[in-house]
Amino acid sequence: MVTKENLKDYAAKLMFDMDDEGYERTLKEFETVEKHMELIGKIENIKSVEPLVFPYVIYHANFREDEAKDSLTTDEVLANAKDTKADQVKVPKVVGE
Amino acid sequence: MKTIMDLRKDLDEKKVTSDELFKIAIEKAHTYQDEFNSFVTIMDKKEEKESNSLLSGIPYALKDNFSTKGILTTASSNILKDYVPVYDSTAYKKLKDAGAVLVGKTVLDELAMGGTGTTGHTGIVRNPWNKNREIGGSSAGSAAAVALGIVPFSIGSDTGDSIRKPAAFGGLVGFKPTYGRISRYGLFAFASSLDHVGCFARCVRDAAIVTDILKGQDEKDMTSLPNEDIKYTDVIDNDIKGMKLFYIKEITDKTLYKDAGEETLKILDKFKETIEECKKLGFTVDEVSFDDNLLKALYPTYITISSAEATSNNSNLTGIPFGPRGEGGSINEIMFDARTKGFSELIKRRFILGSYILQRENQERLFKNALRLRHIIVDKMNELYKTYDAMILPASGGVAPFFDNEIDRMSDRYLILENHMVIGNFGGFPSITIPNGFVDDMPIGINITGKAFDDAKVLNIANKIEDKLGYKGLIKEEYDV
């Protein structure tokens, strides 16, 4: 059974938080979700089937030639970053003092 | 209301100029914006590109999850509210090169996750047929813009039924071709194995014209299909005599809907009337039986796969290379804060579900089993496509819902009727919704779904049925100006 603590942990792993009411509503939603998920396990012989990760078998390999192509300029790459310095995105130190 | 071909004729005969068409479209877009909220951005300047294509000079609207260089692209989410892309999506580039004229970027459900058109960061989108009702989503603004007569066509994306459902609610044609037929490069990914690019239009011919321009292999999307030596507009009038259609008994049999409301029963009656019309046209139409347990598992399978894929696809939304910067002393705190403030609760709930599904202890039971189910369903469909040319079903179990209508009709059976179009995404099948008349003064649709790569045939079948039914170019009278 999923608990509120579980939900907080799942959210933290994806790097966000919610207010308490949000977790309460999510917990309630999970009752329906779990009921739905049970339907997935009910299909006979499901384990003998290969998981399908793509709509159909790929019969073509669509790779381009290994040639240099135009790419974004440094200015373009940095255009949407809120804080930049010396052609780089500026963030707090990630290595200890 | 004029179709693409009508406008083409007017342009070629110099009855109107593309500048005038653009001006009219922009004026309409502004006139209806407060009331219906179709757009995040309405263009103030016309893109100038001459071309000999059928779309040259024709105005259109683009969903705000397609990258447009230099034009704000928000995916209707606060986490991208100021994002101005530095490159063009392939779909946008192809339309620009064809001379089509962008009128605006349309509102969607936040990050394309949702089917109501109510969760975008700039507010809800209303249905032109009745302002108190949803237009559906996630391609809500793209549907509303065509239904209001602002543009003759628009572009959307479809991961579960995000083009084909709003098309039904808006009295429009909504088409998503085979997975890979149109490049996804520059479309903000929701669930990559289910995402499709497609269009809204006033008639099947227009949808074929737009798809002819958009389709083709793209070296920037390795899942794009090789080019075909065919123009869809050349084949949509082909003879359909002898073609075979099927519908699923467990979805369409009225006697199975014990607690259904009047509206659903009327939709099922109307569907059966349309089947008779199809037979008169020369189609053979059979009722086939589909394992009920598979049908009941359609929606859970969709939610499982799409939530899991969405969780990882949206991990790039950190507020660091783009988006509003979060506050905090470390890079982790900054990202945590940006994501906490940037996503609405609905999106967070979807992500939590995705995270749950992908936990090591749940992967086998939930994620892999959903992928196995997808395989079983796609195999079953492909088996049917050995005998039949296409499947035909009602596009929805009801007309567009009211905004305040808490879904109270979610019986297992109704859930299947409301969500079966995900089959088209599971198998990448070409799938089109066309209008099927009205119930309680609101438009309804039917959906036709064919075998992967059979886009031409699906358009051909839809065009013939559209001709027979006569619901072409629907628009509410007051917007037909």
Side-chain angles (χ1 to χ4, degrees):
Chain A
M1 193 61 208
V2 175
T3 65
K4 206 156 93 180
E5 293 315 307
N6 291 141
L7 297 181
K8 282 189 175 175
D9 175 48
Y10 302 149
K13 281 175 175 157
L14 292 181
M15 304 195 78
F16 63 77
D17 200 4
M18 271 197 295
D19 56 26
D20 234 35
E21 291 80 35
Y23 285 113
E24 289 292 346
R25 282 188 284 269
T26 313
L27 199 59
K28 203 148 179 273
E29 193 177 67
F30 259 68
E31 289 170 22
T32 319
V33 167
E34 280 287 356
K35 225 174 78 189
H36 278 150
M37 296 298 171
E38 276 173 26
L39 295 169
I40 293 179
K42 274 190 180 165
I43 309 298
E44 276 178 52
N45 301 325
I46 192 162
K47 292 280 179 248
S48 62
V49 182
E50 268 301 297
L52 182 68
V53 296
F54 198 70
Y56 43 76
V57 178
I58 308 172
Y59 60 86
H60 66 288
N62 184 11
F63 295 111
R64 67 172 174 86
E65 292 303 312
D66 187 16
E67 292 162 357
K69 295 265 175 180
D70 292 341
S71 56
L72 298 176
T73 64
T74 308
D75 283 347
E76 285 172 332
V77 171
L78 298 178
N80 279 282
K82 290 286 176 279
D83 203 0
T84 62
K85 189 179 177 184
D87 284 351
Q88 294 175 65
V89 178
K90 192 178 165 194
V91 293
K93 270 192 174 157
V94 289
V95 186
E97 297 291 324
Chain B
M1 198 65 206
K2 289 188 171 174
T3 63
I4 292 174
M5 282 314 285
D6 295 332
L7 292 172
R8 174 81 271 135
K9 198 161 168 277
D10 288 353
L11 283 165
D12 291 348
E13 291 173 357
K14 311 236 182 290
K15 287 183 182 157
V16 70
T17 66
S18 69
D19 284 352
E20 285 164 347
L21 284 182
F22 177 70
K23 194 166 165 270
I24 294 165
I26 295 296
E27 278 171 9
K28 275 191 191 171
H30 281 292
T31 303
Y32 299 137
Q33 180 59 17
D34 284 351
E35 217 171 336
F36 294 95
N37 192 37
S38 305
F39 294 96
V40 178
T41 302
I42 299 172
M43 300 293 284
D44 47 20
K45 200 167 150 278
K46 179 170 170 274
E47 292 170 332
E48 301 289 351
K49 187 131 187 178
E50 291 296 314
S51 149
N52 291 325
S53 96
L54 287 174
L55 293 183
S56 185
I58 308 279
Y60 78 100
L62 182 62
K63 191 173 177 178
D64 207 27
N65 58 350
F66 285 86
S67 192
T68 45
K69 187 173 180 175
I71 303 167
L72 182 73
T73 304
T74 66
S76 286
S77 178
N78 275 318
I79 204 156
L80 288 167
K81 67 184 169 65
D82 302 317
Y83 176 64
V84 180
V86 290
Y87 70 100
D88 284 341
S89 53
T90 298
Y92 171 57
K93 186 172 184 311
K94 284 196 165 201
L95 288 166
K96 200 161 46 171
D97 289 346
V101 181
L102 182 66
V103 167
K105 302 288 297 288
T106 59
V107 174
L108 53 146
D109 278 301
E110 185 176 357
L111 300 169
M113 282 179 243
T116 59
T118 61
T119 65
H121 75 311
T122 55
I124 63 173
V125 184
R126 293 180 183 275
N127 191 321
W129 292 92
N130 181 335
K131 278 187 285 187
N132 299 318
R133 293 180 184 268
E134 298 168 4
I135 182 73
S138 64
S139 310
S142 284
V146 181
L148 284 164
I150 297 170
V151 285
F153 79 96
S154 63
I155 305 301
S157 61
D158 186 316
T159 305
D161 56 21
S162 280
I163 290 173
R164 294 161 292 153
K165 184 69 72 67
F169 290 164
L172 305 170
V173 170
F175 178 51
K176 73 150 201 73
T178 301
Y179 182 88
R181 186 66 78 203
I182 301 175
S183 167
R184 288 180 294 117
Y185 177 72
L187 166 69
F188 296 174
F190 163 12
S192 307
S193 82
L194 302 168
D195 290 345
H196 293 64
V197 177
C199 64
F200 294 91
R202 304 207 158 285
C203 61
V204 175
R205 186 173 304 278
D206 282 2
I209 290 170
V210 175
T211 312
D212 273 332
I213 299 280
L214 289 176
K215 70 192 171 97
Q217 188 160 5
D218 180 9
E219 67 171 22
K220 290 173 175 164
D221 175 0
M222 67 171 287
T223 65
S224 61
L225 289 169
N227 294 327
E228 294 174 295
D229 190 18
I230 187 174
K231 267 176 76 180
Y232 298 146
T233 40
D234 289 343
V235 299
I236 58 170
D237 292 310
N238 285 356
D239 192 3
I240 50 79
K241 283 216 167 45
M243 281 199 198
K244 293 175 87 173
L245 306 178
F246 74 94
Y247 61 88
I248 297 174
K249 176 181 164 58
E250 288 74 12
I251 296 181
T252 54
D253 186 345
K254 247 170 75 170
T255 63
L256 298 171
Y257 290 85
K258 294 203 173 55
D259 306 316
E262 278 290 299
E263 192 179 289
T264 301
L265 298 177
K266 283 185 200 165
I267 283 176
L268 293 171
D269 281 341
K270 188 91 182 140
F271 173 73
K272 289 289 166 70
E273 285 169 25
T274 296
I275 292 299
E276 292 309 310
E277 294 300 312
C278 291
K279 288 177 183 168
K280 283 183 204 160
L281 261 175
F283 288 107
T284 303
V285 192
D286 290 344
E287 180 178 86
V288 305
S289 208
F290 209 97
D291 182 343
D292 219 20
N293 286 327
L294 287 181
L295 293 174
K296 284 178 185 160
L298 283 175
Y299 184 65
T301 301
Y302 167 72
I303 282 292
T304 303
I305 297 172
S306 63
S307 303
E309 289 191 24
T311 301
S312 71
N313 273 333
N314 288 290
S315 59
N316 65 338
L317 301 175
T318 59
I320 289 177
F322 50 82
R325 182 64 75 90
E327 290 168 16
S330 72
I331 194 163
N332 277 0
E333 283 172 16
I334 287 175
M335 289 195 276
F336 203 94
D337 188 54
R339 288 168 71 82
T340 297
K341 288 176 182 157
F343 299 131
S344 71
E345 186 186 312
L346 278 169
I347 292 296
K348 287 177 183 171
R349 282 197 235 154
R350 192 74 80 103
F351 286 164
I352 288 176
L353 182 56
S355 179
Y356 166 69
I357 289 158
L358 291 174
Q359 296 302 307
R360 190 171 298 136
E361 64 273 21
N362 295 332
Q363 274 188 24
E364 182 65 28
R365 177 175 72 95
L366 297 177
F367 189 53
K368 288 215 175 136
N369 273 350
L371 293 172
R372 290 182 178 110
L373 253 172
R374 178 181 187 176
H375 203 164
I376 294 171
I377 292 158
V378 170
D379 278 356
K380 168 81 181 165
M381 288 298 293
N382 283 327
E383 196 57 38
L384 284 162
Y385 285 136
K386 284 181 187 165
T387 309
Y388 297 99
D389 297 286
M391 170 171 79
I392 181 165
L393 286 171
S396 165
V399 301
F402 285 107
F403 286 107
D404 55 4
N405 182 25
E406 278 295 311
I407 306 278
D408 57 0
R409 44 188 184 182
M410 283 299 182
S411 68
D412 285 352
R413 184 69 47 196
Y414 189 84
L415 261 178
I416 301 170
L417 180 57
E418 201 56 63
N419 293 294
H420 65 80
M421 288 195 289
V422 297
I423 292 173
N425 303 75
F426 288 170
F429 304 127
S431 183
I432 190 166
T433 293
I434 62 171
N436 191 31
F438 295 84
V439 162
D440 299 340
D441 296 326
M442 288 299 292
I444 58 167
I446 45 165
N447 179 260
I448 299 150
T449 298
K451 194 169 71 178
F453 320 116
D454 264 359
D455 307 82
K457 192 189 274 180
V458 166
L459 287 164
N460 181 198
I461 292 170
N463 187 46
K464 289 292 183 175
I465 296 176
E466 179 188 68
D467 264 351
K468 178 80 179 161
L469 298 178
Y471 302 118
K472 198 185 281 192
L474 295 184
I475 186 161
K476 200 176 183 195
E477 213 178 337
E478 61 195 278
Y479 306 117
D480 192 10
V481 287

